[in-house]
Amino acid sequence: MFPLSSQKKYWTFSNEQQLNELRKNQNKKFQETHGSQMDDTSRREYFLDSSEERLLLKQYEIYLNDFCRRFEPTMPKCCLGTSFHYFKRFYLHNSPMDFHPKEILATCVYLACKVEEFNVSIGQFVNNIKGDRNKAMDIILSNELLLMQHLNYYLTIHNPYRPIEGFLIDIKTRSSLTNAERLRQHIDDFIEKSFFTDACLLYAPSQIALAAVLHAASREQENLDSYVTDTLFTGAREKLPLLVEAIRKIRLMVKQYEIPPRDKVKTIEKKLENYKERMRKMFCDDDLEIDMQANSAADMSVLNMSH
């Protein structure tokens, strides 16, 4: 159950400000560690700042979604949701300057497939990746344990898909809405968009699911307010104000989401590429090079997922 889960205890946060502070702190720590001899001007030129990292990661979340949607054989929705959770969690405490998001993205999806018992071999998995598939396989397998370590081995994810099915069954049984299945496409669209926001790090899966259902009903010019107040919470009305506020905020987050400007993302990707190239030149000693490869899994161009 979600209320007793590690997701609730360790990976659900109070508000967006807390998430932003975590991201800013990890960026600051990275710059202080790797740029201790630099002045502020040099750091700005050399490193990605927190806002640049965030924009870059938003773009890679789009790549993650596209990769999962195109995956063959067809991937269950729960694998997509779990992949997003892993990706977002990892970069709360790590920098894309240290671990390239292209590599972590693929590793998140591969680990999610295993955890959600979607039975694909590593060979089948890398068949969905362009480029040198043997190198891609090495990168994913070498990063798998690292990813689990940074997730503190809390791998079970509660996604909103089961609560959605429960709500639809209940609506069919206990509400006056006819043909509840017509809500499904709007629900799916809403849930997909919600993964591009921080909603899954802030709210319970059941709250996100209910926000999706109410959004879908409004798109169909239906109103389920009486179902929520008189049926769902008939014996717990004191909980309604908090729920209503959570639903409002989730829907607002989804509505306000904007796709990252492609020109800005390209500039940031180039800056990251330049940083990685400088790092390679600095660490030319064999031992250091091996250590660096262990951290960043080397060849960034191998996991050539279509942009």
Side-chain angles (χ1 to χ4, degrees), residues 64-65 67-84 108-110 112-120 125 159 161-162 188 191-192 195:
L64 188 159
N65 186 65
F67 177 70
C68 291
R69 286 171 65 94
R70 294 196 314 268
F71 195 89
E72 293 181 2
T74 302
M75 186 180 290
K77 293 176 184 176
C78 58
C79 292
L80 172 67
T82 298
S83 299
F84 266 103
C108 286
V109 177
Y110 179 67
C113 289
K114 294 173 75 170
V115 170
E116 297 295 347
E117 299 182 352
F118 177 48
N119 188 23
V120 290
F125 188 89
N159 282 300
Y161 303 112
R162 284 186 179 179
D188 288 346
I191 294 298
E192 182 176 303
F195 282 125

Side-chain angles (χ1 to χ4, degrees), residues 223-236:
N223 191 316
L224 289 174
D225 289 352
S226 62
Y227 162 74
V228 174
T229 56
D230 301 336
T231 304
L232 277 184
F233 286 85
T234 185

Side-chain angles (χ1 to χ4, degrees), residues 237-255:
R237 289 184 177 273
E238 71 280 0
K239 296 181 179 179
L240 265 176
L242 286 177
L243 175 70
V244 169
E245 182 63 11
I247 299 298
R248 185 189 69 80
K249 287 182 178 179
I250 293 167
R251 293 181 68 177
L252 188 62
M253 290 175 76
V254 172
K255 182 179 180 180

Side-chain angles (χ1 to χ4, degrees), residues 93-183:
H93 303 290
N94 293 284
S95 171
M97 291 180 283
D98 219 358
F99 303 99
H100 198 289
K102 188 179 291 185
E103 298 172 1
I104 297 303
L105 181 163
T107 310
C108 286
V109 177
Y110 179 67
L111 181 60
C113 289
K114 294 173 75 170
V115 170
E116 297 295 347
E117 299 182 352
F118 177 48
N119 188 23
V120 290
S121 67
I122 185 64
Q124 286 177 294
F125 188 89
V126 297
N127 281 340
N128 289 272
I129 296 173
K130 297 179 180 180
D132 188 327
R133 287 166 180 164
N134 287 328
K135 284 188 178 180
M137 189 183 303
D138 290 342
I139 287 172
I140 292 168
L141 294 178
S142 67
N143 277 335
E144 186 179 9
L145 180 58
L146 178 144
L147 174 61
M148 288 192 286
Q149 289 171 337
H150 284 275
L151 298 175
N152 294 324
Y153 299 97
Y154 297 127
L155 305 180
T156 300
I157 300 297
H158 296 262
N159 282 300
Y161 303 112
R162 284 186 179 179
I164 285 168
E165 296 306 317
F167 283 131
L168 288 177
I169 291 170
D170 197 47
I171 288 168
K172 292 172 186 177
T173 306
R174 298 199 294 166
S175 83
S176 59
L177 182 72
T178 58
N179 188 18
E181 283 299 316
R182 61 196 162 105
L183 304 181

